Amino acid sequence: MSMQEDSIVLAVLADIPDGGAYEWRADEQGMVSVLIARLGEQVFAYRNSCPHQGRPLGLGRSGPGGGQKFFFDKQQRLVCPHHGATFEIETGRSPSGPCQGGGLTPVAVRLVEGKVYLAENLETPKY
Ligand code: FES
């Protein structure tokens, strides 16, 4: 499955807490899940998958639209809730934990008039 860029709104900026993240999910199986993190008026999007074991980086599930809860440390780094890998929001790089030296897979997005649009064709990962 492929999703066409520029037609899909992943999030509304006002719905993403500053210093936090929002999950967008394409289907109920969670096969395509993207986390959109916000720092002020900037957004950074990544595949919602920990490089360590491929697990989602948030917890919980609230339906087809996504809605996982994400966790951050005092340096505003995303923390994987499973084994504690940390990730810099701006770069996706992991400075500590099981993924140290690795990083998240970025997803291209475009912020236009307060809406975060998908800016690449997102293929469903093959498991
Ligand atoms: S699954 Fe994320 S740190 Fe292991």
Side-chain angles (χ1 to χ4, degrees):
M1 179 170 68
S2 171
M3 274 162 267
Q4 188 61 43
E5 60 183 295
D6 281 343
S7 61
I8 299 175
V9 175
L10 301 185
V12 174
L13 185 65
D15 291 342
I16 309 171
D18 194 0
Y22 177 92
E23 183 206 14
W24 174 85
R25 187 183 296 145
D27 59 45
E28 292 190 38
Q29 285 72 45
M31 297 296 281
V32 180
S33 177
V34 175
L35 76 90
I36 304 109
R38 175 181 176 184
L39 285 177
E41 299 303 305
Q42 289 187 289
V43 292
F44 305 87
Y46 301 97
R47 288 281 192 163
N48 184 17
S49 177
C50 183
H52 173 221
Q53 290 188 344
R55 291 178 169 209
L57 289 155
L59 292 178
R61 182 171 179 154
S62 64
Q68 286 194 321
K69 178 171 175 47
F70 296 96
F71 302 89
F72 294 84
D73 66 11
K74 289 180 179 155
Q75 285 79 42
Q76 283 194 307
R77 294 179 301 204
L78 179 68
V79 180
C80 178
H82 305 293
H83 310 101
T86 61
F87 301 93
E88 297 168 350
I89 291 178
E90 300 95 325
T91 65
R93 290 188 319 186
S94 179
S96 67
C99 307
Q100 187 172 15
L104 303 176
T105 301
V107 172
V109 294
R110 200 176 347 266
L111 181 61
V112 180
E113 296 179 352
K115 292 181 180 172
V116 182
Y117 289 87
L118 182 64
E120 68 173 77
N121 287 326
L122 208 53
E123 296 292 331
T124 302
K126 295 172 179 55
Y127 295 104

